[in-house]
Amino acid sequence: MAWSTREIAEIAGTSLRAVRHYHDVGLLPEPERRPNGYKQYGVAHLVRLLRIKRMVDLGFSLARIAELREDDHHPEEALRILDAELGATIERLQRVRVELGLILRHHAPADLPADLTPPAVAAGLSEADRSLVLVMTRVLDPRRLDAYAEILRSVSPDPTDGEFDTLPADAGEEARQSLAERMVPHIRRILTEHPEMADPHADAPRGARSATRGAGGGRPGRYNPHPAARRGPRSPAAIRELYNPAQVDVFRRIQHLLRAEPRPTDSRRDST
């Protein structure tokens, strides 16, 4: 029997483009040509094409099929590996479906990971805060990221949150200083409850110092006063780009106020 390229593609339940691609990558031998120049496929070509299609339908990549060569009738090891890969894919897709359900139910932004920022919390974030959370997922080391997630989940909103979000870029000196002073107590409490966010020895992935903002009421922590934050090339730059000049200045003022506070005396020194 002899078939044209179109005919063998139809019989195998695939496309002309797929048949030609299998030729290009060396999976399907080129058939002889008729005197008129058209390809002439035989039964052996159809059998090979059907085997390739079956392996593709099972989930094998073309590269893996090429490695198997003629050992594709029952490649046990390859099948076990594929089964394990598919199992991992199914688990990942199940997690994604759970996240999608939460996002849809709470009308939350789709760009934030639900395990870090619960949808109910993410829905209340400003655009700048959401962008910063994404940056923090890449610059915080795992321990600080866990602490950051706990802050996002558990810290109650503060009255200064909305005021900070709406602070205009041309806000005056008095407004900036007043807001900074009123934000300090809340930030101090959160840094006390989550000291990991002020640890100068925890390096972020790829060598960047991670801590930039400690906490800020049920939303991304708004500041980390530790000097290590100034050495991080990523996070400070992100803050300057994401927030307006008045908001950045409020961060600076908070840092100054927290540095000016007396540090607790070490009880061991008092006893000597």
Side-chain angles (χ1 to χ4, degrees), residues 111-174:
D111 55 347
L112 299 178
D115 57 341
L116 176 67
T117 312
V121 173
L125 300 181
S126 68
E127 178 62 31
D129 284 344
R130 294 212 314 270
S131 298
L132 187 67
V133 170
L134 287 175
V135 173
M136 296 292 265
T137 63
R138 304 309 301 164
V139 302
L140 286 178
D141 65 87
R143 187 168 63 90
R144 286 192 186 181
L145 190 58
D146 287 343
Y148 192 61
E150 177 60 25
I151 290 171
L152 292 171
R153 289 191 295 264
S154 64
V155 176
S156 300
D158 186 74
T160 58
D161 286 349
E163 189 175 347
F164 178 87
D165 289 338
T166 58
L167 186 69
D170 60 352
E173 173 85 11
E174 183 177 348

Side-chain angles (χ1 to χ4, degrees), residues 13-203:
T14 188
S15 65
L16 274 171
R17 183 175 182 180
V19 173
R20 289 166 180 161
H21 183 60
Y22 297 156
H23 286 317
D24 292 339
V25 298
L27 284 179
L28 184 65
E30 289 276 357
E32 295 181 358
R33 292 183 179 269
R34 298 170 180 171
N36 60 7
Y38 288 101
K39 293 176 181 177
Q40 180 174 293
Y41 293 86
V43 174
H45 295 99
L46 177 60
V47 170
R48 180 58 181 161
L49 181 56
L50 289 171
R51 285 180 172 170
I52 294 170
K53 185 175 183 300
R54 171 61 175 165
M55 300 296 278
V56 169
D57 290 344
L58 284 174
F60 284 100
S61 66
L62 296 185
R64 188 69 178 116
I65 295 173
E67 292 174 3
L68 295 172
R69 296 299 177 182
E70 298 304 319
D71 187 32
D72 58 6
H73 62 287
H74 184 69
E76 183 171 352
E77 182 181 357
L79 289 168
R80 292 187 184 280
I81 292 173
L82 178 61
D83 181 64
E85 292 173 349
L86 292 175
T89 299
I90 290 170
E91 289 182 5
R92 180 183 64 81
L93 293 176
Q94 288 174 335
R95 291 195 299 270
V96 170
R97 287 202 68 195
V98 170
E99 285 199 39
L100 288 175
L102 291 172
I103 291 170
L104 289 170
R105 186 156 57 251
H106 295 282
H107 303 283
D111 55 347
L112 299 178
D115 57 341
L116 176 67
T117 312
V121 173
L125 300 181
S126 68
E127 178 62 31
D129 284 344
R130 294 212 314 270
S131 298
L132 187 67
V133 170
L134 287 175
V135 173
M136 296 292 265
T137 63
R138 304 309 301 164
V139 302
L140 286 178
D141 65 87
R143 187 168 63 90
R144 286 192 186 181
L145 190 58
D146 287 343
Y148 192 61
E150 177 60 25
I151 290 171
L152 292 171
R153 289 191 295 264
S154 64
V155 176
S156 300
D158 186 74
T160 58
D161 286 349
E163 189 175 347
F164 178 87
D165 289 338
T166 58
L167 186 69
D170 60 352
E173 173 85 11
E174 183 177 348
R176 300 182 190 188
Q177 184 64 22
S178 173
L179 179 57
E181 290 174 354
R182 285 182 285 114
M183 288 176 68
V184 163
H186 185 62
I187 292 173
R188 187 194 308 114
R189 284 195 301 272
I190 294 190
L191 290 177
T192 300
E193 295 171 2
H194 299 275
E196 303 93 332
M197 296 304 293
D199 181 0
H201 304 295
D203 287 335

